[in-house]
């Protein structure tokens, strides 16, 4: 859990509400950039979006290595995942041999956000009770 200056009750949200992403590839290697929607959200990414967390998220693809590069001036980070594209564009039989959709796998990861930072998210987060009341 984020233990920065904003000590409040955390809310678990999908990473896509905290950041956006982009994926690239070269051979059998994918890189996934994650960029905070707001600079104040960047420390959450640094603390919770670790090499270990991303490696676990992609465990079924068996990356041989996951490396994280921090880009604090851009409030971003870049992950390089080795041996994740089934051999690369020319060798892979999967439907996404470039791995362009892999950023969406990361952006669906859960992230704990203190209540005080919720207004900075990409769009408002409703709690479960609010959603229940809106359902006809």
């Amino acid at each position: 859990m984020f233990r920065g200056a904003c000590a409040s009750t955390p809310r678990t949200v999908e990473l896509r509400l905290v950041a956006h992403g982009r994926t690239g590839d070269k051979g059998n290697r994918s890189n996934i950039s994650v960029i905070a929607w707001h600079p104040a959200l960047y420390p959450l990414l640094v603390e919770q979006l670790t090499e270990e967390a991303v490696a676990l998220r992609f465990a079924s693809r068996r990356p041989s290595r996951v490396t994280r590069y921090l880009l604090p001036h851009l409030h971003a980070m870049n992950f390089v995942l080795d041996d994740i594209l089934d051999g690369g564009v020319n060798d892979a039989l999967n439907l996404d041999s470039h791995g362009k959709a892999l950023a969406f796998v990361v952006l669906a990861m859960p992230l704990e956000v203190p209540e005080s930072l919720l207004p900075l998210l990409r769009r408002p987060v409703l709690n479960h009770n609010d959603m229940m009341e809106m359902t006809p």
Side-chain angles (χ1 to χ4, degrees), residues 23-32 79-85 98-100 102-103:
T23 308
D25 66 276
K26 186 60 96 175
N28 199 20
R29 174 181 283 169
S30 179
N31 68 72
I32 302 171
F79 289 92
V80 176
L81 294 86
D82 291 322
D83 303 313
I84 197 168
L85 297 176
H98 288 281
K100 297 299 183 190
L102 297 182

Side-chain angles (χ1 to χ4, degrees), residues 113-134:
V113 179
E115 294 245 2
S116 60
L117 294 178
L118 292 178
L120 301 178
L121 300 184
R122 185 62 177 163
R123 62 181 190 214
V125 178
L126 301 174
N127 71 36
H128 181 70
N129 291 332
D130 291 340
M131 291 174 62
M132 294 289 288
E133 292 173 6
M134 291 173 58

Side-chain angles (χ1 to χ4, degrees), residues 2 4 6 18 36-45 75 113-114 116-117 120:
F2 179 68
C6 301
V18 176
W37 287 117
H38 189 280
L41 297 169
Y42 181 67
L44 297 174
L45 298 178
H75 314 293
V113 179
S116 60
L117 294 178
L120 301 178

